[in-house]
Amino acid sequence: MESTPAIFAGTVFVLFGGALLLWTGARTLHRAPVAHGVSPAASAVLAALFGVAFLALGVWCFARI
């Protein structure tokens, strides 16, 4: 019963983190800005770091099951 919220949260974090990394990679590959009004390098690095952090948080949620 207590594993259901962990499964839901882990799934959400993994999906969001993966989508963020995929989107950031696609934008960087096409040399399009990741965030408007910010340095392209800084926004790509920050978005990638957050994507990895969300993936790690999702894996941590799944490990708690």
Side-chain angles (χ1 to χ4, degrees):
M1 197 66 167
E2 296 159 351
S3 64
T4 304
I7 292 170
F8 177 74
T11 303
V12 169
F13 284 135
V14 166
L15 286 175
F16 181 73
L20 184 60
L21 284 175
L22 184 68
W23 180 78
T24 302
R27 298 292 288 181
T28 304
L29 197 67
H30 293 291
R31 298 194 182 267
V34 176
H36 293 287
V38 184
S39 167
S43 62
V45 169
L46 192 61
L49 286 175
F50 273 102
V52 170
F54 278 110
L55 279 177
L57 190 58
V59 169
W60 179 80
C61 286
F62 286 133
R64 304 286 296 170
I65 297 174

